[in-house]
Amino acid sequence: MKRLFQTSTESVWRHRDLRIAAPARALSILGDEIALVALMLHVHDLGAGARGVMLLLISAAVPTVLLAPLAGSLADRVDSRLLLVTASLLQVVVCVALAFTAPLWGVYLLVMALQAGQAVVNPTWQALVPRIVGEAELGQAMGATQALSTLAAVAGAPLGGLLSGLGGQRLPLLVDAGTFLALVAAALLVRTRRAGRHDAALRTADRPRALDGLRVIRADRLLWPIFVALFAYIVVGEATNVVEVFLIRDHLHGTSVQYGLVGAVTTAGIVVGSLLAGRIRRTPRRVVVVVVGAAVQSLALLLAGLVPSVLALAVVYSTLGVANGALNTSTGTLVFTRVPDAVRGRVGAALNGGSRACSIVALALGGLAGSELGAAPSFVLFGSLALVVVGWLALRVLPLRDVAPPEPAESTAPAERAPVGAANGS
């Protein structure tokens, strides 16, 4: 019997450019989490209350949504090195300005400027990774980078609180500026480049249009239902984030230490799930993992509203974490191995923008459900709705798990035939 998780005799870390890019990206995520905690504390100290925090979170999410078409077009047309260096340097300037800005309106505007840079940088890196490692090892690379990013994000929260205590708003934001400088250095050191005048393959493609990313996904019979289900799933799944603290502290009477323990086991699960899913080599198996991962995570959300203790919740959440890591890694690998190279930036931007838009809706929905139903019933409700979404997804995609991706349009065919990983210095 063939194994679902296959091993490779060679490590994905043998690629020089991945060894540079992945830690730099994780360091930047660490800096962003540090900055977010510092800014939330700053907004609290100014007396803005829950409304001020909500506006801060919205300011951080809106640019990714609104700029998705432009960001994807830039990622597919402009030299990746030039784009990454320019955007990261601008983010350094914005972080320094944030460190010395006190008024709330200034904070909100600068946060939007910072995230506008992220809206461009993220799809550029996403489209560059397949060039670095090649499509055969993309799953392993995505699993490894997601594991690193998850660990960085979790470490950012306590570090943000510690640095804020030591230096107020200024110190953590200057640290974040330093992480963007590290990204500048990484972009200059990475030899693999994509788009721009030197990239003959992408230069032959047509000029990007605003909704190209969605058009490409819509044309793929397998990816389109995954996209639709993913966005619906984010709305109902992330809504539980709003009431999670109330479930643990108020409903289950957990301590702050126990709250941290639940977060720690979830993180460990995500890392394990990401690394395991990264070892899957075939599309049909990835499709199965997407459906099973979503089903397990949905069931875990439902059970979270029924458990009698924090210890039982920790067991449920550790399973949820494994499922979440496997789901995200498999979904990302499916998307970027099935779309033509010429449009990967636009597809990545569409995925990022749609996900952030759904997250905004989830915040509002979770707040409403928490105030009207309470924490535990909200988990049962959202877990049940998530299972409905997964049931629809299973019916749509499992019969199509062997379907080939659509033929690329004539304008993108040269990019599709371009050698992957060329000039990557591996």
Side-chain angles (χ1 to χ4, degrees):
M1 178 177 169
K2 293 182 178 179
R3 291 178 296 176
L4 177 62
F5 300 104
Q6 298 177 345
T7 58
S8 173
T9 57
E10 294 184 299
S11 169
V12 73
W13 294 111
R14 74 185 187 281
H15 297 281
R16 169 194 177 275
D17 283 355
L18 187 67
R19 295 196 302 270
I20 296 171
R25 289 283 289 153
L27 183 63
S28 176
I29 290 171
L30 175 70
D32 284 349
E33 291 297 319
I34 289 173
L36 178 61
V37 170
L39 290 171
M40 291 181 72
L41 291 172
H42 177 62
V43 169
H44 173 270
D45 293 344
L46 290 176
R51 182 180 179 184
V53 173
M54 180 189 70
L55 289 174
L56 176 66
L57 295 175
I58 291 175
S59 299
V62 165
T64 304
V65 178
L66 297 182
L67 295 178
L70 174 61
S73 297
L74 289 173
D76 286 331
R77 298 298 292 184
V78 180
D79 178 7
S80 57
R81 180 179 294 173
L82 174 63
L83 202 58
L84 292 170
V85 169
T86 303
S88 297
L89 284 175
L90 288 175
Q91 288 175 300
V92 171
V93 174
V94 172
C95 276
V96 173
L98 267 171
F100 295 92
T101 298
L104 270 179
W105 63 267
V107 170
Y108 295 147
L109 288 176
L110 287 171
V111 166
M112 292 181 72
L114 188 66
Q115 293 305 311
Q118 289 293 78
V120 174
V121 165
N122 286 337
T124 305
W125 280 113
Q126 287 172 325
L128 194 60
V129 170
R131 287 281 186 98
I132 292 175
V133 301
E135 292 185 12
E137 295 181 276
L138 182 56
Q140 191 179 356
M142 294 195 75
T145 54
Q146 178 169 302
L148 273 179
S149 298
T150 300
L151 292 173
V154 171
L159 278 176
L162 175 63
L163 292 173
S164 295
L166 293 174
Q169 169 194 4
R170 191 164 298 172
L171 179 59
L173 287 165
L174 291 177
V175 169
D176 192 22
T179 66
F180 284 116
L181 281 176
L183 268 186
V184 172
L188 291 172
L189 289 172
V190 167
R191 296 170 184 164
T192 308
R193 297 171 75 169
R194 182 177 177 277
R197 289 181 297 175
H198 75 283
D199 195 331
L202 295 196
R203 196 169 62 244
T204 61
D206 289 341
R207 286 193 172 276
R209 294 176 294 172
L211 299 179
D212 278 348
L214 286 178
R215 290 190 186 97
V216 171
I217 294 296
R218 183 69 183 87
D220 192 311
R221 295 167 58 205
L222 177 63
L223 290 185
W224 180 245
I226 291 177
F227 243 58
V228 172
L230 172 66
F231 290 157
Y233 190 82
I234 289 172
V235 170
V236 295
E238 290 193 7
T240 60
N241 293 344
V242 181
V243 294
E244 181 182 290
V245 64
F246 300 102
L247 177 74
I248 297 173
R249 296 302 304 272
D250 298 338
H251 180 71
L252 297 175
H253 308 292
T255 65
S256 56
V257 173
Q258 289 174 323
Y259 178 69
L261 172 65
V262 172
V265 298
T266 306
T267 300
I270 292 173
V271 171
V272 171
S274 300
L275 294 175
L276 286 175
R279 298 165 68 179
I280 299 173
R281 297 288 181 177
R282 296 177 55 196
T283 291
R285 294 175 180 176
R286 290 187 182 117
V287 174
V288 172
V289 170
V290 167
V291 174
V292 172
V296 171
Q297 188 172 351
S298 302
L299 183 60
L301 290 175
L302 191 156
L303 291 175
L306 302 174
V307 295
S309 66
V310 176
L311 179 61
L313 182 67
V315 174
V316 169
Y317 261 53
S318 63
T319 306
L320 182 150
V322 174
N324 179 271
L327 169 63
N328 290 335
T329 297
S330 298
T331 302
T333 306
L334 276 174
V335 170
F336 287 101
T337 52
R338 289 180 67 88
V339 302
D341 179 49
V343 294
R344 279 177 176 150
R346 279 161 282 175
V347 168
L351 180 61
N352 297 338
S355 299
R356 293 305 294 269
C358 292
S359 296
I360 296 173
V361 177
L363 288 174
L365 187 61
L368 177 63
S371 61
E372 295 295 329
L373 301 176
S378 295
F379 268 85
V380 174
L381 172 63
F382 292 131
S384 301
L385 291 174
L387 282 172
V388 172
V389 174
V390 175
W392 177 86
L393 176 64
L395 291 174
R396 292 295 303 272
V397 303
L398 289 180
L400 300 174
R401 59 186 180 274
D402 289 311
V403 69
E407 289 294 324
E410 185 177 349
S411 60
T412 62
E416 183 73 1
R417 294 194 298 266
V420 177
N424 65 5
S426 300

